[in-house]
C-alpha cells in the first residue's frame, strides 16, 4: 500500500502544470514585449538568419496583439522604451527587466513569447504573462510544434492563448 501511494505521489509531482489558475483582469493594460526567436539548429548556425523566419516573428507579434485586443485587453505602446528593449537579448530571460518595462509603461501585465527552433521540423512556442506588481507568472505555457511554417507557428500560439492564457 505504501509503495502504491508513493508511486502516485511521485507521478503527481512529475506532472507538468501549466500556469493559468487565476483569470486575468478584464480590460487590463498589457505590455507586449514581442516574440523572440531562438535558433538552436545546425541550419541556423551554418546559414544564419532566414527572411521567412523573421517575417514569421512579425506575423506572430501581430497575431498576439490582435488576439489580446479581441479579448478586451489594452495593449500599451512600447514606443517610449523601444530603445531599452532593443538592448535586451531576450525580454523573457532578462532577470526581471520585463517587469521594469511593464512598470515604466503603466501596465498591469507584461507578456512575452519565444519560439525555439531545434530543427526545421521541431520547434517550441512559449508565451508567458507576468503580473507586474507581484512578478509572478500568472499565465502561460510551452508547446512543441512540428514544422517551420506560418501555419505551424500560429497553431502553437493559438493553442497556448486559447487553452492557457484566455481561460479562467
Amino acid at each position: 500500500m505504501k509503495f502504491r501511494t508513493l508511486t502516485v505521489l511521485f507521478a503527481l509531482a512529475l506532472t507538468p502544470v501549466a500556469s493559468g489558475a487565476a483569470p486575468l483582469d478584464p480590460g487590463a493594460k498589457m505590455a507586449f514585449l514581442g516574440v523572440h526567436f531562438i535558433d538552436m539548429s545546425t541550419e541556423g548556425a551554418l546559414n544564419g538568419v532566414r527572411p521567412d523566419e523573421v517575417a514569421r516573428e512579425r506575423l506572430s507579434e501581430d497575431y498576439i496583439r490582435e488576439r489580446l485586443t479581441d479579448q478586451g485587453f489594452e495593449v500599451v505602446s512600447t514606443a517610449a522604451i523601444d530603445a531599452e528593449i532593443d538592448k535586451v537579448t531576450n525580454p523573457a530571460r532578462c532577470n526581471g527587466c520585463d517587469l521594469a518595462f511593464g512598470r515604466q509603461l503603466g501596465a498591469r501585465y507584461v507578456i512575452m513569447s519565444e519560439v525555439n527552433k531545434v530543427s526545421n521540423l521541431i520547434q517550441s512556442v512559449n508565451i508567458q504573462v507576468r503580473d507586474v506588481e507581484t512578478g509572478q507568472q500568472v499565465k502561460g505555457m510551452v508547446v512543441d510544434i512540428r514544422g517551420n511554417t506560418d501555419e505551424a507557428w500560429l497553431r502553437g500560439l493559438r493553442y497556448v492563448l486559447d487553452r492557457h492564457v484566455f481561460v479562467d
Side-chain angles (χ1 to χ4, degrees):
M1 184 65 175
K2 280 187 179 182
F3 179 74
R4 182 180 300 161
T5 303
L6 288 174
T7 302
V8 170
L9 289 175
F10 183 71
L12 287 173
L14 293 179
T15 303
V17 178
S19 180
L24 298 173
D25 294 337
K29 290 183 179 183
M30 289 261 194
F32 176 47
L33 302 181
V35 174
H36 183 73
F37 181 64
I38 305 163
D39 189 347
M40 298 174 48
S41 70
T42 305
E43 175 192 12
L46 294 175
N47 301 328
V49 178
R50 285 179 31 184
D52 62 325
E53 291 169 340
V54 172
R56 255 180 228 114
E57 282 181 78
R58 301 294 84 77
L59 173 72
S60 298
E61 288 175 345
D62 291 345
Y63 178 76
I64 292 171
R65 277 189 197 91
E66 180 181 311
R67 291 295 310 277
L68 290 169
T69 302
D70 289 349
Q71 290 292 319
F73 296 101
E74 180 183 341
V75 181
V76 299
S77 171
T78 60
I81 62 167
D82 279 345
E84 289 179 67
I85 294 172
D86 288 344
K87 293 177 188 174
V88 176
T89 303
N90 181 357
R93 312 258 180 247
C94 64
N95 205 22
C97 74
D98 58 319
L99 300 172
F101 293 151
R103 279 190 285 280
Q104 286 178 278
L105 296 169
R108 171 79 168 94
Y109 302 106
V110 63
I111 182 169
M112 297 131 318
S113 180
E114 297 172 298
V115 175
N116 187 347
K117 178 181 176 181
V118 176
S119 71
N120 216 31
L121 176 64
I122 303 169
Q123 299 179 64
S124 63
V125 173
N126 175 16
I127 298 177
Q128 301 172 37
V129 180
R130 291 181 42 164
D131 184 306
V132 172
E133 277 183 37
T134 67
Q136 296 297 311
Q137 180 174 324
V138 293
K139 295 284 184 175
M141 181 181 203
V142 178
V143 295
D144 287 340
I145 60 173
R146 296 296 176 257
N148 191 7
T149 65
D150 294 357
E151 181 184 344
W153 283 39
L154 292 174
R155 187 175 39 239
L157 292 169
R158 188 171 29 257
Y159 183 88
V160 175
L161 291 170
D162 289 346
R163 300 214 168 127
H164 298 282
V165 175
F166 298 140
V167 295
D168 294 337

